[in-house]
């Protein structure tokens, strides 16, 4: 996998950003199905007739259909529901499954730089010696300086089993080394840890995608075996993921009881629960305004059971769970189908959770978030301090 976490956006997001400036019309896709709302049918039929009768340009039916779908989802007024074009759906599925195809790095990309912030274990990038903090300055004859970051990212993408040559340097303008690697299917690095001073085990959860609970449990076991007496769990800049994975991570940290409740439109409920077996270590949890969905509920559950102190800044406030529905043309809808609630029955929708101890990063620290050393991270330092 080769994923950008700052500048690069998914195609579904890009379409949402563009939807207000594009004409949305669709050809014939509503003819047989019947509509739930007359307004939708009437509007699209009227637009379609005008385009068919008067439009002098060429019509790309697939592009029009994609934008019509984006417009429909945008019209719901639910920022968590979205449309996924067919050519992006496979990558979306792989990512949610904790997998991807690429050289095995995650990057922070801007207009004029690509910096590696994660190197996946047992990946081509790891084998080639790429290090966290290094810069990718070019690939396959493209350079960031001449062609831009997106062109280089596109050059690195490709099919498993094919080779790609990437230029890597310690600084954006430093001397580069050329590395030829094979693209391959890789497993995301979603949870990992390290031992900090004072026998404090630090665990970073990057995503709650499939397989993350197994990585978390292995990290937790390793830290405890190494003598960890306290835990700091970091879910800052975590966009969420699977409720099942989150609940499996919480189970060893909580006493017996409810972890989370999901409720459908019809009122039916799914309740996730923890058993009585629990690791009794002091815990602090790091949160911020980019802790979303499962990351928020992970922190909220530990807070409501008084199992952890939350440190950082206020979270986003997402209170709906989505399910992905594949459409007949290979595209998909990511649709909000359930509301979810904390162990005490609270919704976090548009509310989020506040930290017990608020600590903000400076603008400079926030911009360098993924590359802060522990001693330069005031939120982490406070989380360690309160553990005593």
């Amino acid at each position: 996998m080769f994923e950008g976490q700052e500048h690069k956006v998914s195609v579904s997001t890009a379409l949402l950003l563009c939807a207000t400036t594009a004409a949305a019309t669709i050809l014939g896709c509503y003819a047989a199905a019947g509509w739930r709302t007359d307004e939708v049918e009437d509007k699209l039929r009227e637009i379609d007739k005008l385009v068919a009768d008067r439009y002098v340009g060429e019509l790309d039916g697939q592009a029009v259909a994609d934008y019509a779908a984006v417009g429909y989802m945008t019209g719901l007024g639910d920022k968590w529901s979205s449309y996924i074009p067919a050519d992006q759906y496979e990558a979306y599925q792989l990512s949610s499954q904790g997998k991807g195809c690429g050289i095995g790095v995650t990057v922070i990309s801007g207009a004029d730089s690509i910096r590696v912030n994660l190197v996946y274990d047992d990946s081509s990038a790891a084998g080639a010696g790429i290090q966290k903090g290094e810069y990718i300055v070019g690939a396959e004859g493209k350079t960031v300086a001449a062609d831009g970051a997106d062109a280089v990212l596109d050059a690195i993408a490709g099919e498993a089993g094919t080779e790609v040559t990437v230029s890597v340097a310690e600084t954006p303008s430093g001397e580069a080394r050329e590395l030829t690697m094979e693209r391959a299917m890789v497993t995301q690095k979603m949870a990992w840890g390290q031992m900090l001073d004072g026998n404090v085990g630090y665990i970073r959860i990057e995503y709650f995608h499939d397989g993350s609970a197994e990585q978390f449990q292995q990290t937790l076991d390793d830290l405890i075996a190494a003598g960890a007496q306290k835990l700091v769990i970091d879910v800052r800049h975590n966009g969420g993921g699977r409720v099942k994975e989150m609940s499996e991570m919480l189970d060893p940290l909580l006493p017996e009881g409810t972890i989370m409740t999901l409720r459908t439109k019809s009122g039916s409920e799914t309740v996730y629960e923890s058993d009585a077996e629990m690791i009794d270590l002091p815990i602090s949890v790091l949160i911020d305004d980019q802790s979303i969905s499962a990351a928020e509920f992970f922190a909220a559950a530990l807070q409501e059971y008084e199992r952890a102190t939350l440190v950082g800044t206020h979270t986003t406030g997402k209170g709906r769970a989505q399910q992905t529905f594949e459409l007949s043309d290979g595209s998909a809808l990511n649709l909000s189908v359930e509301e979810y609630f904390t162990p005490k029955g609270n919704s976090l929708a548009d509310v989020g959770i506040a930290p017990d101890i608020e600590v903000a990063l400076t603008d400079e620290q926030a911009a360098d978030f993924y590359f802060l050393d522990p001693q330069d991270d005031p939120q982490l330092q406070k989380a360690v301090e309160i553990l005593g």
Side-chain angles (χ1 to χ4, degrees):
M1 170 167 284
F2 190 91
E3 180 175 335
Q5 291 184 287
E6 182 178 271
H7 173 69
K8 196 174 183 183
V9 295
S10 68
V11 167
S12 56
T13 303
L15 285 173
L16 285 170
L17 293 172
C18 297
T20 57
T21 63
T25 181
I26 192 166
L27 297 177
C29 66
Y30 50 76
W35 290 85
R36 298 298 298 272
T37 58
D38 290 339
E39 295 90 344
V40 176
E41 180 178 9
D42 292 345
K43 178 73 73 175
L44 287 179
R45 284 189 184 278
E46 185 177 4
I47 292 172
D48 187 32
K49 186 176 187 306
L50 280 170
V51 170
D53 291 346
R54 306 294 295 273
Y55 181 56
V56 297
E58 292 186 8
L59 182 66
D60 182 337
Q62 185 58 58
V64 166
D66 282 336
Y67 275 105
V70 169
Y72 190 109
M73 299 304 288
T74 304
L76 295 178
D78 176 23
K79 62 184 177 181
W80 308 114
S81 294
S82 60
Y83 170 72
I84 307 166
D87 62 356
Q88 293 296 307
Y89 186 43
E90 182 180 3
Y92 174 87
Q93 289 178 298
L94 284 173
S95 180
S96 65
Q97 293 165 7
K99 299 185 182 300
C101 177
I103 62 173
V105 297
T106 301
V107 303
I108 305 298
S109 63
D112 56 1
S113 69
I114 303 171
R115 194 178 186 189
V116 176
N117 79 298
L118 275 180
V119 180
Y120 295 170
D121 298 336
D122 302 320
S123 65
S124 296
I130 294 179
Q131 300 293 316
K132 175 180 178 177
E134 291 190 307
Y135 290 83
I136 293 176
V137 297
E140 296 296 294
K142 302 286 186 179
T143 68
V144 173
D147 304 293
D150 285 347
V152 173
L153 294 174
D154 289 341
I156 295 174
E159 296 183 359
T162 60
E163 289 189 340
V164 59
T165 299
V166 179
S167 301
V168 180
E170 293 185 2
T171 65
S173 58
E175 183 177 352
R177 63 189 193 276
E178 300 289 312
L179 302 173
T180 298
M181 292 164 282
E182 183 176 308
R183 301 178 180 100
M185 293 299 299
V186 294
T187 298
Q188 293 176 359
K189 190 173 182 178
M190 296 171 282
W192 68 93
Q194 66 183 96
M195 189 73 79
L196 304 178
D197 293 342
N199 292 322
V200 176
Y202 168 84
I203 302 177
R204 167 67 181 166
I205 305 174
E206 189 83 2
Y207 312 105
F208 289 93
H209 295 168
D210 288 348
S212 58
E214 182 179 354
Q215 293 184 17
F216 175 85
Q217 187 64 56
Q218 186 62 59
T219 301
L220 179 62
D221 291 345
D222 290 345
L223 287 170
I224 291 174
Q229 298 174 5
K230 311 161 191 177
L231 294 174
V232 174
I233 304 176
D234 189 351
V235 293
R236 295 174 296 176
H237 283 54
N238 181 315
R242 307 286 197 187
V243 174
K244 177 177 178 292
E245 298 294 321
M246 180 208 69
S247 66
E248 289 181 5
M249 293 187 201
L250 282 169
D251 189 11
L253 306 177
L254 295 177
E256 185 174 8
T258 298
I259 292 176
M260 189 179 195
T261 301
L262 292 88
R263 186 177 302 146
T264 67
K265 187 175 183 176
S266 67
S268 64
E269 292 186 345
T270 301
V271 181
Y272 290 84
E273 297 180 330
S274 58
D275 59 29
E277 188 175 346
M278 183 183 74
I279 295 168
D280 190 15
L281 295 177
I283 302 171
S284 57
V285 177
L286 292 168
I287 57 174
D288 65 9
D289 62 349
Q290 295 184 59
S291 299
I292 303 173
S293 189
E296 298 178 87
F297 281 86
F298 179 90
L302 288 164
Q303 184 185 54
E304 289 187 352
Y305 276 102
E306 298 183 353
R307 283 288 294 123
T309 302
L310 309 190
V311 178
T313 57
H314 205 286
T315 68
T316 296
K318 183 172 182 283
R320 294 174 175 176
Q322 289 72 47
Q323 183 175 346
T324 304
F325 299 90
E326 185 173 357
L327 305 180
S328 58
D329 67 348
S331 61
L333 298 184
N334 196 35
L335 185 66
S336 294
V337 296
E338 293 173 305
E339 296 178 295
Y340 40 40
F341 302 89
T342 68
K344 290 186 176 181
N346 297 317
S347 171
L348 302 184
D350 301 318
V351 176
I353 50 175
D356 298 303
I357 301 175
E358 184 165 359
V359 180
L361 300 180
T362 66
D363 289 345
E364 183 178 358
Q365 289 166 338
D368 207 34
F369 172 78
Y370 288 100
F371 308 100
L372 290 176
D373 290 327
Q375 65 271 18
D376 299 323
D377 183 341
Q379 294 173 330
L380 175 55
Q381 289 300 308
K382 176 57 73 172
V384 172
E385 177 188 325
I386 65 174
L387 292 174

